[in-house]
Amino acid sequence: MKPITIKSIKLYPIAMSLVETLKTSSGDEPFKTGVVVRLEADNGITGWGEASPEIAPGYNYETVGTALHIMSEFLVPVLLGETIESATEVPALFSRVRGHHMAKYSLEAAVWDALAKTNEMSLMQAFAAHLPKEHQPRGYANVGVSIGIKPSVEETLQVIEKRLGQGYGRIKLKIEPGWDVELARGVRKVYPDIVMMLDANSAYTLADTEHLKQLDEFNLLMIEQPLGHDDIYEHSKLQPQLNTPICLDESILSANDLRLALDLGACRILNLKPARVGGYTESLEIYKICAEQKLPLWIGGLMETGIGRSANLAFASLPAVTLPCDISATDRYYDPDLTEPPFVLGANSRISAPTAPGIGVEVQRDRLEAAAQRWTAEGVYKNYF
Ligand code: MG
């Protein structure tokens, strides 16, 4: 592998309008926010990465402000001037900074992109190069769609009909207490056979066990993160009482967390968000555990723009990612996106992973500048918290 030496890094805080906002049990966000990383190597190659913190510390403690602070003061200085042969070297360089996984992820992703471009590899090839030979990428990800909390079952059914019509093969519904059993029953009445799952975004407690047991009758693919956002232990108490597999999301921040969860029997499925675990290096460790233990795995999303979406699609094309991923087509989120061409849903609920070097899509600089100006102009912090 040809190495790169990192010459400069520029950070762009962004605010993007969404085609449709996604209401979850933790609320509604007016914009998609994030920080885009542009990394220049001394060979003239540009690498791109993207962090997906929200405006406020609601999903986790990271915000656009903390990501900018941690990156510009602590992480970027460590990278500048560094010669790197493999992006898997990056986590060790960041080891003096605890936490802040989204910030670390975005910089590591930019290094993956620049190195893959330097070596004329697609990101899916770059990831597969760190795995045993049998893990050759499929070239596409199996995907599904996530539907937020709607005012009524009827409105939810209308959205499901639309998404099924578009070709999505797996439907995920966001739930919260008071919007769960009746919703599932209402949907199953009309669609007894669709592949369906629920995501609670940690809205329940162990005291809700009897209530959650009622969901077993709806033949769900899984229920995602029903208990605490940082909990593994209580999920291990709940899982044996449910027939429905529990999928952990928010509380798995590392390969070690996953080992603990598996030892305790806290989940039967994993939702891996590379940003949540601090990058693709840690994601590859988690991937290997899932492959060894035959734990069903899928890749989640944080409403990434095309920059993060393309990298996640590349990862999702690896063969031990066995379940449909939350990586929908571009038109579901942005019009226009920051990158071209857009990702489109193909036959059999698949999206192709880019084959061109690196992220394999072109960042549109004028749109990036506009998204950065919007972050500044809207005073997003002041107005939306
Ligand atoms: Mg989730």
Side-chain angles (χ1 to χ4, degrees):
M1 290 278 284
K2 287 185 225 156
I4 54 165
T5 299
I6 298 169
K7 198 172 83 178
S8 68
I9 293 174
K10 186 166 162 57
L11 308 176
Y12 301 79
I14 58 165
M16 307 253 306
S17 304
L18 290 157
V19 170
E20 184 188 323
T21 58
L22 181 71
K23 184 166 186 248
T24 72
S25 61
S26 57
D28 219 344
E29 289 257 338
F31 300 103
K32 145 75 187 180
T33 57
V35 180
V36 169
V37 173
R38 191 184 89 207
L39 178 154
E40 304 283 348
D42 65 351
N43 61 6
I45 298 279
T46 302
W48 296 95
E50 173 184 359
S52 293
E54 295 183 353
I55 298 167
Y59 174 77
N60 70 7
Y61 61 80
E62 292 188 84
T63 67
V64 174
T66 69
L68 288 170
H69 169 60
I70 295 296
M71 284 197 262
S72 59
E73 301 296 327
F74 304 104
L75 301 176
V76 169
V78 166
L79 289 181
L80 290 177
E82 207 52 52
T83 298
I84 295 176
E85 203 179 314
S86 166
T88 57
E89 297 163 26
V90 173
L93 296 172
F94 290 166
S95 64
R96 289 174 64 207
V97 175
R98 290 192 180 166
H100 298 280
H101 283 183
M102 291 186 192
K104 289 175 176 171
Y105 158 81
S106 63
L107 289 164
E108 197 207 88
V111 174
W112 278 100
D113 182 32
L115 272 168
K117 284 171 176 162
T118 298
N119 290 280
E120 290 175 6
M121 299 165 91
S122 66
L123 270 187
M124 55 182 165
Q125 291 169 320
F127 295 142
H130 292 273
L131 294 169
K133 278 199 175 54
E134 64 272 22
H135 289 271
Q136 286 309 303
R138 287 176 297 232
Y140 62 85
N142 294 308
V143 304
V145 72
S146 182
I147 297 175
I149 293 168
K150 303 285 169 197
S152 67
V153 173
E154 286 64 39
E155 278 166 82
T156 309
L157 287 168
Q158 282 167 17
V159 181
I160 292 174
E161 187 182 0
K162 182 173 158 194
R163 299 297 178 215
L164 293 173
Q166 288 169 332
Y168 288 104
R170 184 225 67 190
I171 298 292
K172 162 164 147 179
L173 301 175
K174 296 281 185 180
I175 59 167
E176 62 185 357
W179 183 249
D180 43 31
V181 176
E182 288 316 306
L183 170 71
R185 182 169 289 126
V187 174
R188 272 292 181 233
K189 220 185 219 171
V190 180
Y191 297 107
D193 300 320
I194 58 170
V195 179
M196 180 165 101
M197 58 179 284
L198 304 178
D199 185 2
N201 290 105
S202 66
Y204 298 87
T205 71
L206 261 189
D208 299 311
T209 300
E210 288 308 311
H211 181 74
L212 291 169
K213 279 182 184 174
Q214 296 178 69
L215 296 170
D216 276 341
E217 69 175 279
F218 302 117
N219 185 28
L220 300 170
L221 184 61
M222 72 193 86
I223 177 168
E224 206 181 326
Q225 198 79 27
L227 308 180
H229 70 92
D230 54 358
D231 172 77
I232 295 173
Y233 177 73
E234 289 192 342
H235 283 100
S236 78
K237 299 293 167 196
L238 179 63
Q239 177 65 93
Q241 302 187 67
L242 298 181
N243 294 325
T244 305
I246 289 177
C247 170
L248 287 180
D249 173 1
E250 284 91 335
S251 60
I252 302 298
L253 301 178
S254 65
N256 248 350
D257 285 343
L258 178 59
R259 287 187 196 101
L260 173 65
L262 292 174
D263 259 21
L264 293 178
C267 68
R268 294 180 193 153
I269 296 178
L270 180 69
N271 169 355
L272 170 60
K273 290 173 180 156
R276 195 189 66 222
V277 303
Y280 292 104
T281 304
E282 191 71 14
S283 297
L284 284 164
E285 290 309 305
I286 289 173
Y287 175 96
K288 287 180 207 164
I289 295 171
C290 294
E292 275 164 28
Q293 307 224 10
K294 301 205 175 352
L295 184 76
L297 169 67
W298 55 283
I299 306 302
L302 292 167
M303 322 270 281
E304 286 89 349
T305 73
I307 295 169
R309 186 172 310 272
S310 59
N312 279 346
L313 271 169
F315 200 92
S317 77
L318 297 170
V321 179
T322 50
L323 290 172
C325 301
D326 269 353
I327 310 175
S328 301
T330 303
D331 64 5
R332 162 83 180 70
Y333 303 92
Y334 304 112
D335 182 22
D337 199 348
L338 295 183
T339 55
E340 290 288 342
F343 294 105
V344 292
L345 185 67
N348 303 314
S349 199
R350 292 172 179 174
I351 298 180
S352 295
T355 52
I359 58 171
V361 288
E362 287 297 323
V363 176
Q364 307 298 300
R365 296 290 186 97
D366 54 334
R367 296 182 201 165
L368 175 58
E369 294 291 347
Q373 274 167 20
R374 183 159 199 201
W375 168 262
T376 310
E378 298 267 359
V380 175
Y381 275 121
K382 288 167 229 128
N383 298 341
Y384 298 101
F385 187 61

